[in-house]
Amino acid sequence: MEYFDSHCHLNDEAILSNIEEEYRLCLEAGVTHMLCVGYDVASSKVAVDLAERFPAVYAAVGVHPENLEPDMNKALQEIKELAKHPKVLAIGEIGLDYYWYKDPEIRNAQKPWFIAQIALAEELGLPISIHARDAVADTLEILKEHTPAHGGVLHCYSGSPESLKEFAKLGLYFGFDGPITFKNAVTPKECVRVCPLDRLLVETDSPYLAPTPFRGKQNSPKYIPFIVDEMAKIKEMEPAKLNEALWENFSRLFRVKHG
Ligand SMILES: [Zn+2]
């Protein structure tokens, strides 16, 4: 079976230091498309470099709310240049992070970055990859007002099943990761269950969030099959059938050809 990983960080030093071997293992596991996501200008550059070097790697470029750059105009110009590469499939990851940031001033400073990068994606004709941690209400409010013209995915979706339905009304997709395989993960499993089949995506967010039975270890796109299997159980579908639906979603949102 062939798989994709719609959100990974091969550009993270933990994986990058062993990239040749890791890439080989991912191909061996059947992962034919890995969307390597940037989180600031430097890591976005690395993502594009990796996409250039490895046929199965694609890139997303953007500035993550935890990594706001000193000069927004300069950073956005650089992101825009990087996004011209034909293997750049999305602007991301962008969004709001209130988990690490409690100070209202810092939280507010994230919003113009998010909105400006949604606009950039629209200008470039690309979808977006959204990071929203402990910030569901504000993320929803911004997305209602600035609905991404070319779609987007709430990567590592960690909201409630009720908010999922609200985001789904905006045409958005939902990425699920290793935590859905954890025994005690009641809410993530419930979110997968209620997620419309045509909006579901699978991702690792590696090197973080390794699925069971590798929980706590370094994650990699090679573990995608474990997440797909769990998703199939939750959706009460044959893994191959579910995987087919996932591929359709991936191809539709990121406009890649498969099979
Ligand atoms: Zn990420």
Side-chain angles (χ1 to χ4, degrees):
M1 209 144 69
E2 286 188 354
Y3 301 92
F4 65 83
D5 183 344
S6 59
H7 190 114
C8 60
H9 300 291
L10 305 175
N11 47 356
D12 185 292
E13 199 42 47
I15 302 181
L16 199 56
S17 56
N18 190 31
I19 187 70
E20 303 274 348
E21 168 75 355
E22 204 54 62
Y23 180 73
R24 192 183 61 75
L25 293 171
C26 291
L27 292 188
E28 248 176 52
V31 185
T32 63
H33 290 62
M34 301 168 224
L35 182 51
C36 176
V37 180
Y39 37 89
D40 56 13
V41 173
S43 61
S44 296
K45 269 191 193 129
V46 178
V48 173
D49 287 345
L50 291 172
E52 194 85 349
R53 262 172 80 192
F54 299 101
V57 176
Y58 297 80
V61 295
V63 179
H64 185 290
E66 271 180 66
N67 302 290
L68 303 183
E69 305 268 359
D71 182 338
M72 181 156 90
N73 286 335
K74 180 168 173 279
L76 293 184
Q77 200 49 47
E78 288 171 312
I79 293 294
K80 189 174 169 176
E81 278 308 309
L82 289 170
K84 288 181 181 155
H85 193 282
K87 288 186 84 182
V88 169
L89 304 183
I91 296 296
E93 55 186 293
I94 61 174
L96 304 176
D97 192 305
Y98 293 176
Y99 178 81
W100 293 109
Y101 300 99
K102 312 288 180 204
D103 179 345
E105 211 171 302
I106 297 179
R107 287 181 172 184
N108 278 330
Q110 298 176 0
K111 293 178 185 170
W113 280 86
F114 187 22
I115 294 167
Q117 292 182 93
I118 296 171
L120 179 62
E122 174 156 3
E123 181 189 331
L124 297 170
L126 293 172
I128 61 173
S129 183
I130 305 157
H131 172 99
R133 195 163 183 206
D134 283 3
V136 166
D138 282 4
T139 303
L140 185 59
E141 194 185 303
I142 288 178
L143 290 171
K144 271 184 179 162
E145 203 168 322
H146 308 270
T147 306
H150 306 281
V153 52
L154 284 138
H155 120 75
C156 197
Y157 182 72
S158 59
S160 65
E162 293 73 31
S163 335
L164 187 147
K165 287 172 193 160
E166 291 301 308
F167 286 114
K169 284 183 197 159
L170 302 175
L172 296 166
Y173 291 72
F174 302 87
F176 291 96
D177 312 61
I180 69 160
T181 66
F182 303 164
K183 259 207 179 100
N184 54 355
V186 178
T187 308
K189 286 182 203 286
E190 179 60 13
C191 285
V192 170
R193 204 183 62 75
V194 303
C195 184
L197 187 59
D198 62 354
R199 300 294 177 76
L200 199 55
L201 289 171
V202 66
E203 54 174 69
T204 58
D205 204 19
S206 48
Y208 315 105
L209 304 175
T212 304
F214 310 102
R215 190 172 181 177
K217 299 217 171 78
Q218 183 174 310
N219 198 5
S220 148
K222 68 184 176 228
Y223 296 146
I224 274 285
F226 294 89
I227 308 171
V228 172
D229 281 353
E230 180 62 30
M231 224 177 231
K233 266 186 213 153
I234 300 170
K235 285 296 205 191
E236 299 178 357
M237 290 173 74
E238 288 296 323
K241 264 269 169 254
L242 171 79
N243 198 40
E244 216 173 279
L246 294 174
W247 268 112
E248 276 177 31
N249 298 341
F250 183 74
S251 311
R252 192 187 314 115
L253 177 62
F254 296 111
R255 288 186 251 152
V256 288
K257 278 209 183 95
H258 173 252

